[in-house]
Amino acid sequence: MSKGDTSVTDAALSGLGKMLSGRVRLPGSIGYERSTPFNSALISQPAGVVTVADQSDIATTIRFAADHGMRVAVQATGHGTMAQGDDVLVIHTGDLQSCSVDPDRRLARVAPGVRAGRLVRAAADHGLAALTGSSPGVGVVGYLSGGGIGPLSSTFGVSSDYVRSLEVITGDGVLRRVSLDEHPDLFWAMRGGRGALGVITAVEVELPALTSVYAGTVVFPPEHMEAVLRTWADWSAELPDAATTSLTMMNLPASPAVPAPLAGRPTIAVSYASVASPQRAEALFAPMRAAGTPILGETGQLAYADLASIFNEPTDPMPVCRDHVIIGELTTPVVDALLSAAGPTSSTTVTTVEIRRLAGAFAQDPPLSAVSHRDNGYALTATGVVSPDAGDVQADVNKVMAAVAPWTSPTLVRNFTDTDDPETLRKSYSSDTVARLLAMSNNYDPSRVMAVNGEITSTAR
Ligand SMILES: Cc1cc2nc3c(=O)[nH]c(=O)nc-3n(C[C@H](O)[C@H](O)[C@H](O)COP(=O)(O)OP(=O)(O)OC[C@H]3O[C@@H](n4cnc5c(N)ncnc54)[C@H](O)[C@@H]3O)c2cc1C
């Protein structure tokens, strides 16, 4: 449905603004641009952006959307935002910034606009670790809503398993506190369902006691790419739960912003983080370091609060095309296929092929979590930066996907699935989970006002 098919007008949207403590930003007005996705290749044109000031604004906006045949999408930082059409109101939570830590209970209470870096620092002040992902700029609540795979996932598992309670305004406009004991069905859905049934207005999350880790990223030159990839495939499969690793085949542009050893040529990086003693962690990494001659980077003992720095994730929006698959094992044919599609002689325009090992505690399946597919394996994401002189980047991303297609599993990781295609999205859930979310939406989102809900359940109805 487009805005043209609904009863909503700009006057009605302005009327909504009068009911709020926050603001409605219409197309062309200041603040509307806050709905721009972090992936700036996506053109998002929602009917309006509601910069909410409190929980009540969220409930009012949801009810308004339902009354006017519209849908709502929620956005904090834009890191996982898809393009929205003019039948959608974006609920922008970026101004909701409350973040507190209770060191005695080892719990943080986080509002939906808070970014990972802020929570990590707040927890570190008390010797505690917030289990966030590789980018300090990602929103804590958005990350946890989809599960969350962090740099220590083999040791601690899926980050949303540490969520102890949530406050959520469901698609029927009702605020509920949910936990193992209160509305456990909704607690299940919100730990992994990525906001399918409602907008999370606060999260209470457990913080393990951890102040330092052994970690780092080591980069090797093109002539060692094959040896490093083959070694990593075998070495990573045998790592104990105390260590987590990822590998990135890189093809960074010749730009002053890129460190000279990496600029304008293919390189390969291995990231590693371990909670073992420094001696044991170093010994575990030794065979990997010996696979080539590093040109950049080091490993060593780091403050936990600095762990994300080893990934050097982009801080500014950029236009990208991206695809993601899961591969069970990195066998010799898979490695051969990767080298042929994205190796040093491939001339690929794909900027990064990142492979994260999913293992150890990642495979734990706690009660009440909608995160599906916790099998051991590897999450592969190919990303190309789109620019006028970059060539056909999408074709090269597709080439990587086609090369590994014979070995991919029919499943995906929700947080790495950047699409609004219902069929693809549903691959990040088991069929039982999709069916359960669909059944629950009849109670909690009867008007199907949550845009994400529609995307997951639309053709499953
Ligand atoms: C550079 C980069 C690094 C990343 N690293 C990791 C990583 O290491 N591990 C990992 O697991 N993921 C990672 N991701 C994926 C990221 O965790 C998801 O895209 C996450 O949903 C982003 O949340 P956000 O609030 O920052 O983004 P937004 O675009 O603001 O929100 C994305 C989605 O999150 C959901 N959401 C956000 N807020 C709420 C809310 N209040 N209530 C309900 N649903 C909500 C909605 O579905 C929304 O569409 C990364 C993404 C990027 C771009």
Side-chain angles (χ1 to χ4, degrees):
M1 188 189 292
S2 79
K3 186 180 164 193
D5 301 325
T6 72
S7 57
V8 79
T9 59
D10 286 353
L13 288 171
S14 300
L16 168 64
K18 296 198 177 80
M19 296 188 261
L20 305 173
S21 304
R23 301 267 302 271
V24 177
R25 324 277 179 161
L26 296 177
S29 70
I30 293 171
Y32 181 80
E33 76 290 345
R34 290 178 76 179
S35 64
T36 305
F38 192 76
N39 177 1
S40 55
L42 301 173
I43 309 296
S44 195
Q45 295 177 316
V49 179
V50 183
T51 47
V52 293
D54 52 31
Q55 286 182 334
S56 157
D57 281 359
I58 296 174
T60 303
T61 305
I62 288 176
R63 288 198 204 103
F64 175 91
D67 289 347
H68 290 81
M70 302 185 78
R71 298 180 300 146
V72 299
V74 55
Q75 180 171 339
T77 75
H79 278 76
T81 289
M82 302 312 300
Q84 305 298 343
D86 67 358
D87 64 324
V88 170
L89 278 175
V90 167
I91 293 179
H92 199 289
T93 61
D95 295 336
L96 304 181
Q97 284 293 333
S98 142
C99 174
S100 59
V101 173
D102 179 340
D104 296 330
R105 294 169 66 219
R106 291 190 183 167
L107 283 181
R109 183 182 162 87
V110 188
V114 174
R115 292 176 191 257
R118 174 140 173 255
L119 174 61
V120 168
R121 287 192 304 278
D125 287 346
H126 302 281
L128 302 172
L131 299 175
T132 53
S134 57
S135 166
V138 163
V140 174
V141 169
Y143 167 83
L144 293 173
S145 74
I149 297 176
L152 292 173
S153 61
S154 294
T155 307
F156 289 104
V158 175
S159 300
S160 61
D161 296 348
Y162 292 76
V163 170
R164 293 294 162 253
S165 70
L166 301 122
E167 282 160 30
V168 53
I169 300 176
T170 39
D172 53 5
V174 177
L175 170 67
R176 294 178 177 88
R177 184 186 148 85
V178 305
S179 67
L180 274 177
D181 308 316
E182 302 152 283
H183 305 287
D185 57 338
L186 207 46
F187 186 59
W188 168 86
M190 301 315 290
R191 295 206 307 173
R194 188 84 180 258
L197 300 180
V199 179
I200 298 164
T201 62
V203 165
E204 222 174 24
V205 63
E206 186 184 327
L207 307 167
L210 182 70
T211 53
S212 67
V213 284
Y214 183 96
T217 293
V218 176
V219 188
F220 300 89
E223 58 274 23
H224 297 163
M225 192 181 259
E226 178 171 352
V228 169
L229 181 55
R230 291 195 191 285
T231 303
W232 191 79
D234 295 337
W235 168 82
S236 63
E238 300 301 325
L239 272 185
D241 295 1
T244 306
T245 184
S246 62
L247 170 144
T248 310
M249 301 166 79
M250 299 190 290
N251 188 22
L252 302 182
S255 135
V258 176
L262 315 184
R265 63 174 184 157
T267 52
I268 190 162
V270 176
S271 298
Y272 172 77
S274 175
V275 296
S277 70
Q279 296 74 15
R280 175 155 158 71
E282 190 170 337
L284 281 170
F285 190 63
M288 196 59 247
R289 184 194 301 279
T293 309
I295 49 170
L296 196 73
E298 55 187 349
T299 52
Q301 205 65 12
L302 282 184
Y304 178 82
D306 295 330
L307 176 54
S309 68
I310 72 168
F311 298 100
N312 207 12
E313 292 279 17
T315 51
D316 295 322
M318 59 173 72
V320 297
C321 52
R322 180 179 286 142
D323 210 343
H324 151 69
V325 286
I326 299 285
I327 299 173
E329 287 176 68
L330 292 182
T331 56
T332 301
V334 178
V335 172
D336 291 345
L338 276 169
L339 286 168
S340 105
T345 56
S346 66
S347 306
T348 185
T349 57
V350 172
T351 318
T352 57
V353 177
E354 185 207 56
I355 311 174
R356 297 191 188 204
R357 180 177 183 247
L358 308 175
F362 169 81
Q364 284 169 7
D365 213 351
L368 299 189
S369 168
V371 175
S372 305
H373 312 316
R374 295 186 186 229
D375 310 324
N376 287 353
Y378 293 86
L380 181 150
T381 305
T383 305
V385 178
V386 182
S387 75
D389 22 83
D392 195 346
V393 181
Q394 182 67 61
D396 280 356
V397 168
N398 295 347
K399 213 180 273 179
V400 174
M401 294 298 137
V404 296
W407 302 280
T408 55
S409 100
T411 64
L412 296 171
V413 168
R414 179 64 181 94
N415 267 0
F416 300 154
T417 307
D418 283 339
T419 178
D420 43 21
D421 171 51
E423 202 179 319
T424 309
L425 269 181
R426 283 200 296 274
K427 289 186 186 170
S428 57
Y429 295 106
S430 68
S431 51
D432 286 354
T433 297
V434 172
R436 194 168 163 191
L437 286 171
L438 173 61
M440 287 177 69
S441 38
N442 295 331
N443 288 336
Y444 291 112
D445 185 19
S447 311
R448 301 295 196 270
V449 75
M450 300 302 304
V452 179
N453 182 8
E455 284 153 13
I456 295 173
T457 59
S458 60
T459 53
R461 277 180 218 171

